[in-house]
Amino acid sequence: MTQTTSRQALGAFLLPDGFSPPPIVAVLREASLVAEAGRYAVRSRAARRSRRATPYATRVPARLADPVLLVPGFLAGDTSLSFMGRALRDQGFRTYRSQIHANISCTLEAAAQLEARLESIAARRGTRVQIVGHSLGGMLARGVAVRRPDLVSGIVTMGSPMLAPGAHHGFLTRSVDVLVRLSQAGVPGLMSADCVAGDCARQSFEESRAAVPDDVAFTAIFSRRDGIVDWRACIDPSAEEVEVTASHIGMAVDPRVIDHVVSALKRRTALASVVEVDRGVSA
């Protein structure tokens, strides 16, 4: 199956002019995942040594205000962000899984699941939630933030092609095609043709491009070395953009990327604290 043929199942609106899928050989860039995971392992060992040298009473950092929901990318599940979750908890964040075992279902259904998850976390913690989303997970996060800003205080996207969801590598398109065929064969819980070319796909795309409310912090992380999606599609004009040097998959484990995620989350927490102080003074 050629790349052109495999893309016929995708709605043309998912690949606007000005964007293009990475070339076939671009996927070779993803081999740097080995080095990126290695960096995480080195830092993790150093962190463990530091904790052992720290008195037990002071090992646990103070919990930061907003809880953080982690949302995996296409074909991935919560375990793909387990390393990042551990790193965020070490920084004082209370993290939650999305409860997505494999991100292969209808995008609108996945968004509804995330919305329910956010409602549960917000009710439990009495505060809005920040979302960190990888690839498709970031697109879902942006859509939910637009629809439910009462639940979302900030989003951080990593390699999320919000401006052109169809600007991805050919092997992902073939994976989508397989899911659609299985759905047509009667397998439940998978993306259907409507999810990639019909009204469902269009609604998801429009939500991922709608204006983000002013009181929802938004950071978009991208890499020119991304071998899976067109990095240009990951730069949302309404976001604070952060460029990193990492592979698409490696963004979930590279400690240099995690540092940027932590910084973005802490900026939102600091801003929220200032707002609360101002409200107190005004009262």
Side-chain angles (χ1 to χ4, degrees):
M1 180 184 297
T2 66
Q3 186 164 321
T4 301
T5 301
S6 66
R7 288 188 176 275
Q8 290 178 354
L10 294 173
F13 56 87
L14 297 179
L15 188 57
D17 292 340
F19 302 98
S20 61
I24 296 297
V25 296
V27 74
L28 297 177
R29 301 171 192 161
E30 296 301 302
S32 62
L33 171 63
V34 176
E36 291 151 356
R39 291 190 192 99
Y40 180 91
V42 170
R43 179 177 291 191
S44 182
R45 285 196 296 270
R48 285 197 297 270
R49 288 196 296 270
S50 177
R51 283 195 297 271
R52 286 196 293 268
T54 304
Y56 181 79
T58 58
R59 283 184 189 176
V60 181
R63 289 295 182 190
L64 298 174
D66 291 350
V68 179
L69 177 64
L70 304 175
V71 187
F74 178 57
L75 298 178
D78 285 327
T79 55
S80 67
L81 293 175
S82 58
F83 288 164
M84 178 165 290
R86 185 180 307 163
L88 294 183
R89 288 190 294 275
D90 287 344
Q91 293 293 320
F93 291 99
R94 181 178 281 107
T95 66
Y96 290 86
R97 295 188 172 199
S98 66
Q99 298 181 344
I100 293 176
H101 303 299
N103 204 344
I104 56 177
S105 65
C106 167
T107 50
L108 291 183
E109 291 180 0
Q113 178 181 337
L114 285 181
E115 189 173 330
R117 183 73 170 133
L118 286 166
E119 289 176 342
S120 175
I121 298 170
R124 180 178 180 182
R125 294 300 170 190
T127 183
R128 293 194 295 170
V129 183
Q130 297 204 69
I131 311 177
V132 176
H134 184 209
S135 196
L136 175 58
M139 296 166 62
L140 292 171
R142 194 191 187 291
V144 172
V146 168
R147 190 164 60 252
R148 295 297 305 273
D150 58 311
L151 297 175
V152 181
S153 60
I155 55 176
V156 180
T157 61
M158 301 179 295
S160 302
M162 294 158 287
L163 303 185
H168 55 240
H169 196 277
F171 90 84
L172 278 190
T173 306
R174 289 188 284 274
S175 298
V176 169
D177 185 59
V178 170
L179 293 176
V180 170
R181 290 175 183 273
L182 289 173
S183 176
Q184 291 172 337
V187 179
L190 302 178
M191 289 184 178
S192 66
D194 189 49
C195 296
V196 299
D199 292 340
C200 175
R202 189 175 293 278
Q203 181 177 338
S204 296
F205 182 45
E206 290 174 352
E207 286 184 350
S208 71
R209 293 171 66 98
V212 175
D214 292 337
D215 65 340
V216 176
F218 184 10
T219 299
I221 298 175
F222 71 96
S223 171
R224 294 172 191 261
R225 293 196 69 258
D226 197 311
I228 304 299
V229 304
D230 184 344
W231 61 268
R232 298 170 298 175
C234 303
I235 305 177
D236 193 299
S238 63
E240 177 180 353
E241 59 189 65
V242 175
E243 182 175 358
V244 299
T245 303
S247 66
H248 183 83
I249 300 172
M251 289 185 193
V253 299
D254 193 322
R256 300 172 302 178
V257 177
I258 293 175
D259 286 344
H260 286 295
V261 173
V262 169
S263 295
L265 295 175
K266 286 186 174 181
R267 283 196 298 273
R268 160 60 202 172
T269 300
L271 177 61
S273 298
V274 170
V275 171
E276 287 300 319
V277 170
D278 289 344
R279 286 176 178 171
V281 171
S282 298

